[in-house]
Amino acid sequence: MNKKKIRDLMGEVMSWLASSITIAACLGIIIYLFNMGHAQIDIGFLTNEPATTLETEKNGILTPLVGTLLLTFIGTLVAFPWALGTAIYLSEYAKRNNLTETFRLGIDVLSGVPTIVVAIFGLAVFSNPALGFLSSMVEGVQDVNRAFGRSFLVSGITMAVMILPFVIKTCEEALKSVPDTYREASLAMGASKWYTITKVILPTAKNGIITAVILGMGRIIGDTAIVWLTLGGTLRMTGVQPWWRPDNWLSTLKNTGSTLTSYIYFMSPAGEGHQNENAFGAAFVLIIIIILLNLLTDFFMGSKEIGK
Amino acid sequence: MVYSNSGSIIISVKELNAWYGEKKALSNINIDIKKNSITAFIGPSGCGKTTLLRCLNRMNDLVDGFRLTGDILLDGESILSKNRDVIELRRKVGMVFQQPNPFPKTIFENMALPVKENFGNVRREKLEEIIETNLKAASLYEEVEDRLDSSALRLSGGQQQRLCIARALTINPEVILFDEPCSALDPISTMKIEDMLMELKQKYTIVIVTHNLHQASRIADEVAMFYEGQIVEQASTDVFFSNPKTQLAQDYISSKFS
């Protein structure tokens, strides 16, 4: 074998090894979690609320699971219109100048900020007594007038800020991938710019935009730092009980709770729980949610053959 | 400018100069376009013919760094004045592009989109009537009547281009600009579109940019030849091809026809 062929072969083997290790690591984590966690998972685990260490029979992840879904819902609801509006501005209206470049730089910087920093910022802002209506007021402490700054609403809004740069970027990419010929065709037939955006560009970019939102959801589901600081450290819902009754929903949203990620932390030896098996059970449920989201993304990315 | 025949003038370009950034694209253009006729802009690549075409419905407004001096009159009114409504202008001056550009929607939706934007919510029967009439005018109706609800992207290139023409017709323009509409099409599709253009000029005024001198000689009433941003010769088609006055036009015609 000559030198070139050996180099070729080595390159192929190295890249094959690298990808094999990656796949092995991914599968390894999922298989390990399945092994450790699947025994926990039954109807009771999914429908019971977290209980104390002594009542192991009744221990479940209902409130953390609902907490994860609630936060994802609130975060997406706030972030999506906000991000889409910004992306439309950047892609369709903004001219190339220093102001726009500064704006873009700001978005890039925000996307690099660790979530714990976003979290502490959120806590500081929402502790302002004027924003107390989003959580609750601290009561019974003399000379203290501030909001508690921790609730599903506060945490959801903070999550929205956290995923905003990412969703803006991805939506902007989706809008930019719409060929200019569509814009020209629409404007040339006497359509206004807004009509062009809403009737031609957005429908064409729909799949890319949905993908952006789903990926943003994945980030909210996986985040722990923001939950830790702005949702508080209670496993159960702390609003008026029973928390699931519609007339108590507002109270539930304005009070604290947990998510799957914070539940895992509490149940792990690092937290206060020492209930490893429950932590793994919850981790397995979390992984399943993430896998489902990814399949959904593939579905929308795959149907890129728009309009056919 | 004196013309022997008596078509009234719909567009009048006066001393137009245009630049892309620092680069001059058009120099001192003067041309009148007659109503219900086909005017062809010909000349080598990069000579400014498409630039002038895109000035006529102000599509060049979308290009960063584009500016112009001079004036363009449509029905005697300037289209360049500050308070001119560009959207209303583009309703009167439609455009068909070089690459067929139907939207990734159904054939029906492609046709309905401009109607809804320009005439508001028309009744369904009225909408269907407009769509049928214009698909027929673009000689596409027979080929698509039983699949109006399938994607426009499934049509052949020639059919897509005829759909784009039909779409441009839905808003009743006075003038339709064609930017090399056949350059991406096969000869049979090209013939169909040329036949259609001959029909359409009964009702509309047509300005067409073409690389194809045969095409210009087949369909145009008037020809303007561009070279390096200037119009070097303009005449009726018969005169231009049988008796070109400038050396440039003679050379261009003989090189293309030999």
Side-chain angles (χ1 to χ4, degrees):
Chain A
M1 256 199 279
N2 64 24
K3 234 179 168 180
K4 271 188 178 173
K5 277 192 176 167
I6 292 173
R7 207 168 53 194
D8 235 23
L9 190 70
M10 277 176 61
E12 197 181 332
V13 169
M14 295 234 298
S15 55
W16 182 84
L17 265 178
S19 52
S20 303
I21 292 171
T22 312
I23 294 167
C26 288
L27 285 179
I29 291 173
I30 293 174
I31 292 169
Y32 184 76
L33 285 178
F34 177 76
N35 268 339
M36 302 292 286
H38 80 279
Q40 294 299 317
I41 296 173
D42 53 28
I43 293 296
F45 188 63
L46 295 175
T47 55
N48 280 332
E49 298 192 11
T52 57
T53 328
L54 298 172
E55 313 170 278
T56 42
E57 286 302 300
K58 284 193 215 157
N59 206 340
I61 57 165
L62 179 64
T63 48
L65 187 59
V66 171
T68 293
L69 300 179
L70 261 182
L71 267 197
T72 310
F73 180 73
I74 299 170
T76 312
L77 200 69
V78 175
F80 174 57
W82 193 354
L84 187 62
T86 312
I88 289 174
Y89 173 75
L90 283 175
S91 157
E92 307 300 321
Y93 289 101
K95 296 210 160 53
R96 285 176 173 274
N97 57 30
N98 288 339
L99 192 71
T100 321
E101 288 313 306
T102 316
F103 190 31
R104 278 178 203 279
L105 185 69
I107 293 172
D108 284 341
V109 170
L110 187 60
S111 73
V113 172
T115 61
I116 187 83
V117 177
V118 178
I120 198 169
F121 175 74
L123 183 60
V125 168
F126 290 109
S127 296
N128 188 313
L131 296 172
F133 65 93
L134 290 170
S135 55
S136 49
M137 296 303 289
V138 175
E139 283 163 7
V141 188
Q142 232 180 352
D143 298 330
V144 170
N145 175 33
R146 65 176 188 85
F148 189 48
R150 298 178 187 87
S151 75
F152 277 103
L153 289 176
V154 164
S155 200
I157 296 169
T158 313
M159 287 287 188
V161 173
M162 185 266 289
I163 63 167
L164 203 52
F166 172 79
V167 181
I168 291 172
K169 282 266 163 195
T170 327
C171 281
E172 194 192 346
E173 291 306 318
L175 294 176
K176 280 190 168 163
S177 72
V178 175
D180 273 340
T181 54
Y182 292 168
R183 293 181 179 83
E184 285 192 330
S186 178
L187 292 174
M189 63 195 194
S192 65
K193 187 149 187 170
W194 188 244
Y195 191 84
T196 303
I197 290 171
T198 53
K199 298 289 172 172
V200 177
I201 299 176
L202 288 182
T204 310
K206 189 181 67 196
N207 286 339
I209 293 170
I210 293 175
T211 305
V213 172
I214 295 177
L215 290 175
M217 286 177 163
R219 292 199 159 194
I220 297 181
I221 293 172
D223 194 76
T224 321
I226 291 176
V227 177
W228 185 242
L229 264 70
T230 62
L231 190 59
T234 53
L235 283 177
R236 296 187 176 197
M237 304 288 189
T238 55
V240 179
Q241 301 296 335
W243 57 266
W244 41 264
R245 268 227 325 252
D247 50 334
N248 292 336
W249 281 358
L250 189 63
S251 162
T252 302
L253 289 177
K254 286 172 68 172
N255 281 284
T256 64
S258 60
T259 65
L260 287 173
T261 53
S262 67
Y263 178 85
I264 293 169
Y265 173 76
F266 281 124
M267 292 300 144
S268 75
E272 45 204 52
H274 285 293
Q275 296 185 33
N276 262 341
E277 63 286 355
N278 286 336
F280 279 116
F284 187 61
V285 173
L286 191 60
I287 287 283
I288 289 174
I289 296 177
I290 296 289
I291 290 174
L292 287 178
L293 270 187
N294 270 299
L295 290 178
L296 215 57
T297 321
D298 285 351
F299 173 75
F300 283 111
M301 297 269 258
S303 50
K304 271 254 165 89
E305 274 183 74
I306 32 188
K308 290 212 169 180
Chain B
M1 206 152 303
V2 181
Y3 286 103
S4 50
N5 50 356
S6 62
S8 62
I9 286 160
I10 184 162
I11 292 179
S12 190
V13 180
K14 295 190 186 305
E15 287 168 27
L16 195 76
N17 292 277
W19 295 261
Y20 292 110
E22 291 302 303
K23 192 176 166 295
K24 190 154 192 181
L26 292 173
S27 300
N28 197 31
I29 301 288
N30 288 286
I31 185 169
D32 288 335
I33 291 171
K34 277 186 272 178
K35 208 168 179 157
N36 296 107
S37 68
I38 299 181
T39 304
F41 292 174
I42 61 169
S45 298
C47 63
K49 52 196 190 305
T50 296
T51 302
L52 178 60
L53 193 77
R54 291 170 62 99
C55 287
L56 300 182
N57 64 346
R58 288 187 51 184
M59 284 305 278
N60 279 330
D61 287 12
L62 306 177
V63 179
D64 265 350
F66 181 83
R67 68 199 165 85
L68 44 69
T69 63
D71 206 357
I72 301 171
L73 308 179
L74 173 69
D75 294 325
E77 281 176 59
S78 171
I79 65 165
L80 301 178
S81 63
K82 275 228 169 83
N83 49 13
R84 181 83 192 204
D85 180 355
V86 181
I87 291 173
E88 184 248 329
L89 167 70
R90 290 179 187 149
R91 276 172 205 181
K92 287 187 178 169
V93 184
M95 189 169 212
V96 173
F97 295 81
Q98 184 170 5
Q99 289 293 331
N101 53 5
F103 302 125
K105 296 167 179 279
T106 66
I107 296 169
F108 188 88
E109 285 168 342
N110 261 282
M111 296 292 289
L113 214 64
V115 180
K116 285 179 181 161
E117 164 72 337
N118 287 293
F119 306 121
N121 277 330
V122 292
R123 287 201 330 278
R124 177 85 186 179
E125 307 89 75
K126 179 72 183 162
L127 183 63
E128 282 170 358
E129 187 195 316
I130 295 174
I131 289 174
E132 187 180 326
T133 312
N134 289 301
L135 283 174
K136 278 180 178 159
S139 43
L140 186 63
Y141 187 71
E142 287 76 24
E143 294 165 53
V144 299
E145 59 179 323
D146 50 358
R147 51 176 171 143
L148 289 176
D149 288 323
S150 69
S151 170
L153 300 183
R154 287 202 187 137
L155 298 173
S156 73
Q159 289 171 326
Q160 288 188 12
Q161 193 63 301
R162 275 179 283 148
L163 176 64
C164 292
I165 296 171
R167 191 176 62 185
L169 298 179
T170 54
I171 52 170
N172 290 324
E174 294 175 24
V175 182
I176 309 174
L177 311 173
F178 290 84
D179 186 3
E180 297 186 44
C182 303
S183 66
L185 305 181
D186 62 85
I188 292 171
S189 301
T190 301
M191 290 305 291
K192 281 188 182 168
I193 288 182
E194 285 182 10
D195 289 345
M196 187 207 313
L197 292 180
M198 301 296 281
E199 285 289 318
L200 289 178
K201 76 169 179 177
Q202 314 295 330
K203 208 176 154 196
Y204 309 94
T205 303
I206 290 171
V207 184
I208 181 170
V209 164
T210 178
H211 262 93
N212 185 334
L213 282 191
H214 292 281
Q215 185 171 60
S217 68
R218 279 193 299 266
I219 63 172
D221 301 300
E222 303 284 327
V223 175
M225 183 180 153
F226 287 66
Y227 189 73
E228 292 183 342
Q230 295 182 319
I231 295 180
V232 291
E233 186 158 342
Q234 50 183 315
S236 71
T237 306
D238 298 341
V239 173
F240 181 84
F241 285 104
S242 60
N243 193 13
K245 288 184 185 59
T246 60
Q247 190 64 39
L248 266 170
Q250 283 171 24
D251 291 349
Y252 190 62
I253 293 167
S254 59
S255 72
K256 288 277 180 170
F257 271 92
S258 58

